[in-house]
Amino acid sequence: MKSKYFKLNLFDMSSSNHILPTSTTNILIQPLISADEAIIQNKKWTKEEKKIWTFTLFLGAMCLFSVRTIMSVCALEISKEFNYDKTQMATLLSSFFYGYPITQVPGGFFSDKIGGDLIIFYAAIVWSFLTFFLPYVTILSTDKYTVLSLITLLRCLTGGFQGFHYPGTSSLVSKKIVENERAFTFSFITSGQHLGTLFCGMFASIILEEYGWRYTFQLIGVMCFCWVIYYRNNVLIKSRAHLNILNAKELVINTDDQSNAPSQSNSVPWKDILSKPSFWSLIIAHVCQNNAYYMLLTWLPTYFQENYPGSRGWIFNVVPWLISMPSTIFAGWLADKLIARRQSVTFVRKFTAFISLCGAGLFLVLISQVKSYSSALFLMACTVACCGFHNAGIMVNPQDLAPKYAGSVFGVMNTIGALPGFIGVKFSGYVLETTKSWSIVFNQTAGLCFFGFIVYFLFGTGKKIV
């Protein structure tokens, strides 16, 4: 069915009252926006809109991390089936992060330009399909090295398309949420990632034990497709149609919030951003935190399986992440409360970074000293809970430093921050293969956490730099 605006020149950017087509197909395909549309996109969400978007993106983060962590749950079974050693198993675990950093910067750039809502949708279609399809590549060859290469390729592509998601989310939150509500909103959205990890740890572990790793991947793929359909039909299309109505009716746009008004220049002022120590301290702290988080995300199941072989997978895969979700939401609530009570944004970001980095580092050191299963499980839960504070501090900081370019800055931060996903994970696998020592892995990870906080404490800020 043709749109009633079909005859309009959709690519004429000179028209001040340019209207995007309202048909379902054209709303999703049309990538260009006019200057007026850009201003409309910077209008804050209403209370009702914020609830709908926050809950939907929360579910999206759950699906995102279900896909990301499914390999951690299944890697041991895949390794047993194809007789892979620890180094090859580390390749399986880290392959996702070969592609993940590549799309962070483009994801942030295009999110700032055409809307994070569209970027999230298109990317989710692809990574959902790749997850569902992955088990089928094992029938293409009987050679275990070829199978390893094929799985690595698909996980690399999955990581690449997932790399668009969080820059898109950061761009949306920066434009749609006022400053003193951003930490809680972003933390609540990203707490869905812990629910995704929890889902994998509990339900996917049960499916794995009963039906094998192939059905586990397909279950996660189907779940993600369901979310994509819901997001498209109930949130994205309705939101875009609403923006069209506003664009057609509003002759005077409220531009009081100058911090989020669209820039006259299309280019991101990278020279100014890269010259600021606060930006680089943000990068370093993010890398150090991610090194700890990805190590836990990928190696935690193997640690318990090897050191406490009688333990149940659905327990050690569930308890730490069960604690982390409320800790992440609490961290966002606390951060916004402190800002509302006139604490400086800089103090709040550094305070949450202290809990995240130093807390995680302390508990990792303690884990390396304990011998009992219950103590290890408790300390691991405390470590993951501290990591949850990262989402209310450093992860929100790009929106403080560069609110107009939050998606782009977040993309750069997450590109570099993803490096531990494959370098750190591969290094941990090498250390375990050569030394058989989990204590070395935990202690070097803790050391990086302490280093990251020192740098961020000295040079970090919550003030706008561009």
Side-chain angles (χ1 to χ4, degrees), residues 276-283 285 345-347 349-350 353 394 397 401 452-463 465:
K276 300 294 192 295
S278 54
F279 171 76
W280 291 108
S281 70
L282 169 69
I283 298 293
V345 176
T346 298
F347 169 80
R349 301 298 181 240
K350 290 183 178 180
I394 292 168
N397 206 202
L401 301 182
F453 174 72
I454 291 172
V455 173
Y456 189 71
F457 177 77
L458 293 175
F459 301 106
T461 183
K463 297 179 180 179
I465 61 175

Side-chain angles (χ1 to χ4, degrees), residues 296 300 304 315-316 318-325 327 360 363 367 374-388:
L296 293 171
L300 184 148
F304 280 105
I315 295 178
F316 60 71
V318 167
V319 173
W321 308 107
L322 187 64
I323 303 297
S324 65
M325 188 167 68
S327 79
F363 288 119
I367 289 171
S374 58
S375 297
L377 186 63
F378 173 75
L379 292 172
M380 198 68 78
C382 292
T383 305
V384 176
C386 288
C387 290

Side-chain angles (χ1 to χ4, degrees), residues 162-442:
Q162 283 211 350
F164 288 97
H165 189 92
Y166 272 146
T169 303
S170 181
S171 181
L172 268 179
V173 171
S174 177
K175 292 178 179 180
K176 301 294 188 178
I177 304 293
V178 294
E179 183 180 68
N180 64 350
E181 296 179 3
R182 286 176 189 163
F184 175 76
T185 303
F186 193 77
S187 295
F188 184 86
I189 289 170
T190 55
S191 69
Q193 69 190 42
H194 304 305
L195 183 61
T197 307
L198 184 64
F199 178 85
C200 271
M202 181 180 291
F203 297 105
S205 294
I206 295 173
I207 298 297
L208 177 67
E209 292 177 4
E210 295 294 329
Y211 301 103
W213 68 270
R214 290 175 174 81
Y215 282 104
T216 308
F217 269 88
Q218 291 175 333
L219 169 68
I220 298 299
V222 170
M223 180 185 76
C224 293
F225 272 125
C226 291
W227 176 78
V228 169
I229 293 170
Y230 171 81
Y231 175 76
R232 173 186 179 275
N233 293 339
N234 294 281
V235 181
L236 179 60
I237 291 178
K238 291 181 179 179
S239 176
R240 287 266 152 178
H242 180 60
L243 286 178
N244 289 334
I245 295 172
L246 288 176
N247 202 9
K249 290 184 177 180
E250 290 195 9
L251 298 178
V252 179
I253 306 298
N254 183 6
T255 57
D256 290 341
D257 188 356
Q258 294 299 323
S259 66
N260 278 321
S263 175
Q264 295 299 317
S265 172
N266 288 326
S267 60
V268 181
W270 286 119
K271 184 176 180 181
D272 292 335
I273 294 172
L274 296 176
S275 66
K276 300 294 192 295
S278 54
F279 171 76
W280 291 108
S281 70
L282 169 69
I283 298 293
I284 292 171
H286 187 56
V287 168
C288 294
Q289 171 62 41
N290 275 4
N291 182 67
Y293 185 75
Y294 290 143
M295 187 276 293
L296 293 171
L297 197 66
T298 53
W299 287 110
L300 184 148
T302 306
Y303 166 75
F304 280 105
Q305 287 166 349
E306 289 191 348
N307 290 275
Y308 308 101
S311 57
R312 288 279 189 162
W314 66 268
I315 295 178
F316 60 71
N317 281 327
V318 167
V319 173
W321 308 107
L322 187 64
I323 303 297
S324 65
M325 188 167 68
S327 79
T328 301
I329 296 174
F330 172 75
W333 174 84
L334 179 63
D336 284 348
K337 268 298 183 193
L338 290 173
I339 293 174
R341 293 185 178 182
R342 300 180 184 275
Q343 293 289 342
S344 71
V345 176
T346 298
F347 169 80
V348 173
R349 301 298 181 240
K350 290 183 178 180
F351 174 70
T352 53
F354 171 76
I355 297 176
S356 174
L357 288 163
C358 294
L362 173 63
F363 288 119
L364 282 170
V365 171
L366 294 176
I367 289 171
S368 66
Q369 307 299 318
V370 300
K371 301 298 181 184
S372 70
Y373 169 69
S374 58
S375 297
L377 186 63
F378 173 75
L379 292 172
M380 198 68 78
C382 292
T383 305
V384 176
C386 288
C387 290
F389 278 75
H390 184 65
N391 293 358
I394 292 168
M395 288 279 278
V396 186
N397 206 202
Q399 301 168 29
D400 305 321
L401 301 182
K404 296 178 186 177
Y405 314 102
S408 298
V409 173
F410 186 94
V412 173
M413 180 188 77
N414 229 23
T415 296
I416 303 174
L419 296 178
F422 54 92
I423 296 176
V425 171
K426 290 276 285 186
F427 179 74
S428 296
Y430 173 77
V431 170
L432 291 171
E433 187 70 27
T434 55
T435 69
K436 312 298 181 185
S437 174
W438 285 96
S439 294
I440 294 176
V441 174
F442 290 144

Side-chain angles (χ1 to χ4, degrees), residues 80 145 236 443:
K80 288 179 180 178
Y145 299 105
L236 179 60
N443 287 329

Side-chain angles (χ1 to χ4, degrees), residues 84 137 140-152:
Y84 294 142
V137 302
L140 299 179
S141 176
T142 56
D143 178 61
K144 72 174 188 176
Y145 299 105
T146 303
V147 171
L148 178 64
S149 298
L150 290 172
I151 294 177
T152 300

Side-chain angles (χ1 to χ4, degrees), residues 70-121:
I70 188 63
M71 185 58 77
S72 301
V73 176
C74 298
L76 193 60
E77 290 299 318
I78 297 174
S79 297
K80 288 179 180 178
E81 179 178 335
F82 296 100
N83 195 28
Y84 294 142
D85 60 24
K86 276 286 195 310
T87 303
Q88 292 166 326
M89 183 176 172
T91 300
L92 289 175
L93 291 170
S94 61
S95 56
F96 175 93
F97 298 98
Y98 295 162
Y100 188 66
I102 298 173
T103 53
Q104 296 286 326
V105 175
F109 175 80
F110 287 113
S111 295
D112 288 340
K113 295 301 178 185
I114 67 174
D117 52 352
L118 289 179
I119 296 300
I120 290 169
F121 170 69

